[in-house]
Amino acid sequence: VNETLFDVIVLGAGSVGASSAAQIAGRGARVALIDSRKPGQQTSYGNAGIIDNAAFLPHPFPRNIATLLRYATGQTPHMHAHWGHVPSIAGWLWSYFKASSAGGIADSAARLAPLCQHAVSEHQKLAAAAGTLHLIRDTGWMMVTRTQPGMDGIRGDVELLNRYGISHEVLDEAGIAALEPHLKPGLRGGLWVKASSSTSDPGRLIASYAVLAEQRGAALIEADARGLFRSGQRWVVPTPTGAISAPKVVVALGPWAKEFLAGHGVDVPIVVKRGYHMHFSAEGNATLSRPVGDGDNGYCLTPMTGGYRMTTGAEFAPRDAAPTPVQVDRAEAQARTLFPLSSRLEAQPWLGARPNTPDGVPIICEAPGQPGMILAVGHGHWGLGLGAATGRLVADLVAGTTPLVDPAAFALRG
Ligand SMILES: Cc1cc2nc3c(=O)[nH]c(=O)nc-3n(C[C@H](O)[C@H](O)[C@H](O)COP(=O)(O)OP(=O)(O)OC[C@H]3O[C@@H](n4cnc5c(N)ncnc54)[C@H](O)[C@@H]3O)c2cc1C
């Protein structure tokens, strides 16, 4: 009865939740943005910083036995698994395998591409309003390879980039050197996706969106979302400063969403792919001007305010299991042959968890059987970049205005 009344409660202040709150508050609604920790300091802090208009490019389950064996036996840093965990995610892995067929990849890309078109532009709008546009770099990202299979993979990507009109260039070694002169020689070629951007400080960028939400009138409240319950037509969250309620609630809890939603009878097909990062200094005057992915080894190097951030590929393990950063050592050995890294800048690697759906398409829709609950979850490999466009779509769904893109693509599929 003594509740503070809002129009919308947003649960989770990562890229998705902070962007949603800023957009909804910008339209004049009374918003509460809830997080149990500081905004933008979890998954949305630790990533490679790519804001990708080409986020529909696949991260497929390997379909050829030789590649699968190389992944499974740790011969490349791409993948690591806690094998005891694998049986519990077997159903999801099977769906991932099926979604990684040529037809599945084309279908996911077709559903995702319209939202991706807005990845950079929606971030620019929020960052401009938040005064943090200087944290966004418009130099694209690059993927490089030393191998012919790597070049063949780039051909597949180029087909999709052409289909959705994403500006890019296929590079030979001289082309790569012209853009990134400090990469070491021996590369066969690469792909430069010009249409995309990156941020030099993902945590600060997303925190600035939470501040923007506040400037637009939202209340930022530190509380545990797990207290959420329904009372009549309203959603209620107990907080340390009293209960708050609203007719609408947006669930943007990233890798924590699955178990949270299970408590409300909503089953979302999300499994985490954990990932690590470590910052390095560089030797001499070596620099990079954009994120550079090593296609042969599944890691990325991004110039960040805190140093050169090396992010690792997928680790299949329970979200909260103790860190097993074998991929950091394997990727570092490779990264040193690509770019003149100097010392590690932290004692321990950072560990986070990508919230992945099997088909790589996030879930942005009303929760079945839960009126007024909007899901914005499952952004997997690309939630930092897709957060701002997702926030815009969420704001449209909340307000009932013409949606940015057809939301049918993001329905929860049974
Ligand atoms: C190594 C790595 C590299 C990546 N590289 C990129 C990249 O280059 N580009 C890209 O776009 N994406 C990248 N990603 C993916 C991206 O980081 C995620 O998809 C994205 O951050 C997810 O955002 P989110 O807002 O859904 O979740 P989060 O950022 O995790 O936000 C969820 C929030 O919910 C809060 N929360 C959780 N439980 C509760 C609770 N009970 N009560 C209250 N609050 C709670 C958390 O504190 C958190 O702030 C990468 C991920 C990793 C791990």
Side-chain angles (χ1 to χ4, degrees):
V1 192
N2 268 332
E3 294 156 13
T4 309
L5 305 184
F6 290 92
D7 298 316
V8 186
I9 297 171
V10 178
L11 303 177
S15 178
V16 175
S19 301
S20 300
Q23 309 255 20
I24 299 167
R27 298 182 188 193
R30 289 168 304 168
V31 179
L33 175 58
I34 304 271
D35 203 298
S36 48
R37 289 160 281 200
K38 297 275 172 266
Q41 297 310 301
Q42 298 303 312
T43 332
S44 296
Y45 157 76
N47 49 72
I50 301 173
I51 299 172
D52 199 5
N53 278 19
F56 53 80
L57 293 179
H59 284 261
F61 190 102
R63 291 209 141 214
N64 105 22
I65 288 290
T67 310
L68 188 58
L69 281 175
R70 280 178 54 241
Y71 278 30
T73 54
Q75 290 174 55
T76 111
H78 277 99
M79 201 274 285
H80 182 246
H82 290 193
W83 292 107
H85 172 60
V86 169
S88 68
I89 58 168
W92 183 94
L93 285 172
W94 176 239
S95 302
Y96 179 28
F97 176 78
K98 286 190 291 185
S100 300
S101 67
I105 287 171
D107 175 65
S108 293
R111 288 161 56 212
L112 201 44
L115 190 69
C116 295
Q117 304 275 359
H118 301 280
V120 171
S121 55
E122 289 299 327
H123 265 289
Q124 283 171 338
K125 283 185 217 165
L126 285 178
T132 46
L133 207 46
H134 61 284
L135 299 177
I136 297 180
R137 247 179 327 232
D138 61 358
T139 48
W141 58 263
M142 192 193 282
M143 211 245 293
V144 296
T145 177
R146 295 180 182 79
T147 67
Q148 190 52 44
M151 292 306 291
D152 296 343
I154 286 176
R155 256 206 306 281
D157 289 348
V158 162
E159 227 176 276
L160 282 174
L161 294 172
N162 284 334
R163 190 175 306 163
Y164 296 107
I166 302 296
S167 90
H168 65 277
E169 209 171 302
V170 177
L171 304 167
D172 58 13
E173 188 165 18
I176 293 171
L179 287 166
E180 296 292 358
H182 296 109
L183 290 178
K184 295 185 176 178
L187 297 169
R188 190 150 189 153
L191 172 67
W192 176 29
V193 177
K194 300 179 188 178
S196 298
S197 292
S198 65
T199 172
S200 54
D201 199 332
R204 225 176 114 205
L205 183 70
I206 300 309
S208 82
Y209 296 173
V211 172
L212 174 64
E214 217 174 6
Q215 285 163 356
R216 290 175 169 178
L220 240 69
I221 302 173
E222 213 166 294
D224 191 332
R226 287 173 296 185
L228 179 79
F229 65 92
R230 198 169 165 75
S231 168
Q233 300 301 306
R234 300 183 74 82
W235 292 100
V236 184
V237 182
T239 83
T241 49
I244 62 169
S245 82
K248 300 215 160 141
V249 61
V250 176
V251 179
L253 293 169
W256 292 273
K258 187 180 173 67
E259 60 193 3
F260 172 86
L261 288 167
H264 293 274
V266 178
D267 183 24
V268 288
I270 293 176
V271 156
V272 300
K273 289 184 183 175
R274 304 203 308 178
Y276 299 83
H277 83 222
M278 172 56 69
H279 290 101
F280 295 85
S281 53
E283 282 177 6
N285 63 351
T287 55
L288 290 175
S289 301
R290 56 185 61 71
V292 176
D294 177 339
D296 305 325
N297 293 292
Y299 67 87
C300 187
L301 278 180
T302 303
M304 294 271 181
T305 46
Y308 289 88
R309 180 181 287 186
M310 185 190 75
T311 49
T312 62
E315 182 178 61
F316 290 102
R319 187 193 60 214
D320 299 331
T324 46
V326 294
Q327 287 161 295
V328 175
D329 297 337
R330 289 179 190 149
E332 178 180 345
Q334 295 297 331
R336 288 185 179 283
T337 70
L338 181 68
F339 181 73
L341 292 175
S342 184
S343 346
R344 287 188 177 202
L345 297 179
E346 290 114 10
Q348 298 298 330
W350 173 88
L351 167 61
R354 305 170 181 90
N356 286 82
T357 59
D359 58 11
V361 180
I363 299 158
I364 309 165
C365 63
E366 192 162 15
Q370 298 291 2
M373 178 187 279
I374 286 144
L375 309 179
V377 297
H379 287 71
H381 288 269
W382 296 119
L384 183 266
L386 291 178
T390 298
R392 166 85 189 273
L393 179 58
V394 165
D396 293 333
L397 295 177
V398 164
T401 49
T402 310
L404 178 68
V405 296
D406 182 2
F410 306 104
L412 176 56
R413 298 184 157 192

